[in-house]
Amino acid sequence: MSNRFYKPDKAWVGDLIPFYKDGTFRLFYLHDWRENKQIYGEGTSWFELRSNDFVTYEEMGEKLKHGSNEEQDMNCYTGSIIEANGEYHLFYTGKNLNPDFCEDGIPLECVMHAVSKDMETWTKLPEDTFYSDGIRYERHDWRDPHVTWNEEAGEYWMLLAARLKEGLARRRGCIALCSSKDLKSWEIREPFWDPKLYVTHECPDLFQIGEWWYLVYSTFSERFVTHYRMSKSISGPWTAPKHDAFDGRAFYAAKTWGDVEKRYAFGWVPSKEHENDFGDWQWAGNLVVHEVVQQTDGTLTVRTPEALDQHFGSRQPILYQARIGNWHTIDVSAFVEADETFACISAGAMPATCKIKANVTFTDQTRGCGVMLRANSNMDECYYIRIEPMHNRLVFDFWPRRIKGEAQWHIAGDKPYAVELEIPIDLQAGIAYEIKVIVENSVCVVYLNNQVAMTTRIYNMKEGDWGFFVQEGRAIFEQVELSVPNS
């Protein structure tokens, strides 16, 4: 089915476990029934999607079925798949919330193992289950096993989201290391990485491109985000690049995998409570995929997957109508001088599913400029994708910011943009930056200059115009395109 940001019927996409085989991405994911659990029962299983273009997805259904209330893997949580010795080995987290599987009142987590000859039918091997040693590591945080072959050491390595037993409570998070020769028995070793920065490091991922190794992990300590670190050695030390995240708050638990030529990050955009812009973020949502690109200095950037980009190939007319300010338009270009004020222009009605693209060039001292989405008739209510040159960042905002009522204290003026939707990027006046916005219903993904991505939700405003704005400065928008999916 064509669903650019996939979500199963009556359920949601949780953590992705990607694998590439025979020209197809096999995307296993944690299937979250959420409120429908009263119909489908408790427990989390692995389901599978297949795609070769990140536009059309085939739902393959349940692949790793969760256990019963009397089994450790009542919830089959995140892990990884590796091919070895003519078999596929699936490692996953087993967790049961029932008191019989708790220690000190807290559920235990463990690593569990399943095998398959064809990746279709999986056989669980409960005898291979193992827990934390309870000496170096806590027994309640021992999850998200990522298994890889270490050619240099001649053994398999398993990275785990873990916590040390000693140290400051909110800084014990580490990535544990286990080793194995046969993928059945594992030796628990000292931490792979222990930076004393976070509560924990979820969904660790390790891969190599050229001479560089990359360590990917997600945190919820200082903010919800997927980070990466880089090193010339699989053993570190791990260096933090200046901009160390693939996206912002609304792209979480990303794991990566590559085909023959390219690598991709697979994460999910969380839904919001009551499908409301002012609701709290929830666990699980829709699938979002970014292409990961290595730069000459080894750092990583993200951009739109090529097939998804080309999928929006049906150009639509651009119908400019200035709303505020003295705009100058030539063909599809629009320019305004708004040195002391705010200016905006409508480009026409915005389709529910579309891609907006433009090259934006701003002058020195410009405070803000960007794209308006789903604006009302007078452009007074809308979503803003705002480039802020003075702060070297891309932010998501909407106006008005009120939660209820019309009084000044309901506007939420103390929030200059949506919390945790601030993406750093180095910006310079006089340079054209390509901004690309892809929207499908409530999911909105923004790419700026094929460097950074910002994913978010847009629930409350269902329709309206799109256009451009400039705040206290000057900017020109060129090579403007509005496209919808190919028929």
Side-chain angles (χ1 to χ4, degrees):
M1 61 180 295
S2 181
N3 185 336
R4 271 67 53 172
F5 305 111
Y6 181 82
K7 186 187 89 67
D9 184 39
K10 300 178 182 178
W12 285 259
V13 172
D15 299 356
L16 278 298
I17 301 95
F19 195 93
Y20 181 77
K21 176 178 170 61
D22 298 332
T24 299
F25 276 95
R26 311 278 294 268
L27 306 178
F28 296 85
Y29 69 96
L30 306 190
H31 190 271
D32 182 26
W33 288 114
R34 205 173 289 176
E35 62 264 24
N36 292 317
K37 286 184 178 180
Q38 57 186 324
I39 300 173
Y40 299 101
E42 293 289 336
T44 301
S45 296
W46 284 27
F47 279 53
E48 184 190 354
L49 292 174
R50 295 184 188 177
S51 181
N52 56 20
D53 58 9
F54 309 131
V55 173
T56 302
Y57 292 91
E58 182 181 8
E59 174 63 70
M60 306 305 297
E62 188 178 55
K63 289 298 181 180
L64 182 69
K65 183 176 178 57
H66 68 81
S68 70
N69 290 344
E70 287 72 44
E71 295 175 288
Q72 174 67 58
D73 65 348
M74 176 181 156
N75 291 291
C76 298
Y77 287 149
T78 309
S80 62
I81 297 174
I82 186 171
E83 184 177 5
N85 305 319
E87 280 190 315
Y88 298 95
H89 295 259
L90 185 158
F91 294 90
Y92 65 103
T93 306
K95 188 170 185 176
N96 192 323
L97 305 181
N98 294 331
D100 291 344
F101 296 89
C102 295
E103 189 173 85
D104 300 326
I106 305 174
L108 295 172
E109 294 179 340
C110 66
V111 175
M112 306 188 79
H113 187 195
V115 294
S116 174
K117 292 290 187 182
D118 55 10
M119 293 184 70
E120 298 289 346
T121 303
W122 294 91
T123 301
K124 295 179 181 179
L125 303 177
E127 65 273 17
D128 292 347
T129 298
F130 72 99
Y131 296 79
S132 150
D133 56 13
I135 302 172
R136 281 166 291 198
Y137 303 104
E138 292 183 359
R139 285 166 57 80
H140 311 110
D141 283 274
W142 192 249
R143 63 181 178 275
D144 306 341
H146 174 82
V147 178
T148 188
W149 171 252
N150 184 332
E151 183 69 36
E152 182 178 332
E155 60 190 10
Y156 295 98
W157 275 15
M158 177 187 291
L159 307 187
L160 289 154
R163 280 173 52 80
L164 296 172
K165 289 206 67 174
E166 297 182 356
L168 296 177
R170 294 181 179 86
R171 296 184 180 275
R172 291 184 200 161
C174 67
I175 296 178
L177 174 63
C178 300
S179 64
S180 175
K181 296 290 187 181
D182 59 6
L183 295 171
K184 289 186 68 65
S185 59
W186 292 88
E187 176 191 348
I188 299 176
R189 294 185 174 176
E190 293 296 320
F192 178 80
W193 193 47
D194 174 23
K196 297 176 176 59
L197 289 172
Y198 311 107
V199 172
T200 190
H201 309 65
E202 296 196 296
C203 301
D205 182 22
L206 181 69
F207 63 92
Q208 184 179 23
I209 301 178
E211 63 180 351
W212 286 99
W213 283 92
Y214 298 95
L215 176 63
V216 176
Y217 59 95
S218 294
T219 69
F220 51 78
S221 300
E222 88 286 23
R223 56 188 176 129
F224 277 80
V225 72
T226 298
H227 295 278
Y228 80 93
R229 296 292 185 263
M230 49 196 294
S231 175
K232 291 289 184 69
S233 167
I234 192 174
S235 300
W238 297 99
T239 302
K242 181 178 181 180
H243 304 308
D244 74 333
F246 292 144
D247 201 317
R249 169 64 176 88
F251 180 77
Y252 193 69
K255 292 176 72 70
T256 72
W257 202 275
D259 55 19
V260 178
E261 298 178 349
K262 300 178 180 178
R263 196 162 194 96
Y264 301 90
F266 302 86
W268 45 267
V269 49
S271 56
K272 282 197 163 186
E273 191 173 13
H274 306 306
E275 297 189 348
N276 188 302
D277 290 335
F278 302 109
D280 289 336
W281 294 108
Q282 297 173 303
W283 189 87
N286 294 61
L287 166 66
V288 174
V289 183
H290 299 319
E291 182 183 339
V292 178
V293 182
Q294 185 188 58
Q295 302 303 304
T296 55
D297 63 355
T299 59
L300 301 176
T301 58
V302 293
R303 64 186 182 191
T304 322
E306 184 178 3
L308 177 61
D309 203 12
Q310 295 177 350
H311 173 66
F312 290 86
S314 180
R315 296 277 189 90
Q316 304 297 297
I318 296 169
L319 306 172
Y320 284 128
Q321 184 176 1
R323 300 294 190 183
I324 302 175
N326 184 23
W327 287 82
H328 305 277
T329 61
I330 302 176
D331 295 326
V332 296
S333 298
F335 168 74
V336 71
E337 297 179 358
D339 294 335
E340 301 178 28
T341 186
F342 175 87
C344 64
I345 188 171
S346 168
M350 180 177 167
T353 299
C354 65
K355 179 181 76 174
I356 296 167
K357 180 180 174 183
N359 285 348
V360 186
T361 307
F362 49 83
T363 58
D364 192 31
Q365 302 302 312
T366 297
R367 298 193 66 85
C369 59
V371 182
M372 305 173 75
L373 306 177
R374 295 181 181 172
N376 65 356
S377 59
N378 60 14
M379 307 291 281
D380 191 43
E381 296 186 6
C382 69
Y383 298 104
Y384 290 97
I385 309 299
R386 188 167 64 243
I387 299 168
E388 297 185 347
M390 289 187 175
H391 299 293
N392 286 313
R393 67 188 179 193
L394 173 72
V395 304
F396 172 73
D397 195 6
F398 48 90
W399 187 257
R401 301 190 191 112
R402 67 174 182 265
I403 296 176
K404 59 181 179 178
E406 294 289 345
Q408 64 181 19
W409 53 85
H410 292 153
I411 293 176
D414 58 332
K415 300 171 184 173
Y417 48 83
V419 176
E420 290 190 294
L421 289 177
E422 171 189 7
I423 309 297
I425 179 172
D426 297 328
L427 299 168
Q428 295 182 32
I431 295 178
Y433 291 88
E434 181 192 81
I435 189 166
K436 190 181 302 178
V437 184
I438 299 177
V439 173
E440 182 177 55
N441 300 318
S442 70
V443 179
C444 175
V445 183
V446 183
Y447 296 93
L448 186 57
N449 220 41
N450 288 326
Q451 290 179 255
V452 298
M454 179 175 65
T455 302
T456 189
R457 290 281 187 177
I458 49 175
Y459 281 115
N460 294 9
M461 292 174 250
K462 305 295 185 185
E463 58 186 20
D465 286 5
W466 68 281
F468 303 116
F469 71 95
V470 177
Q471 178 182 340
E472 295 183 269
R474 304 179 185 185
I476 184 170
F477 300 85
E478 301 174 287
Q479 299 182 37
V480 178
E481 297 177 12
L482 171 66
S483 305
V484 297
N486 299 318
S487 55

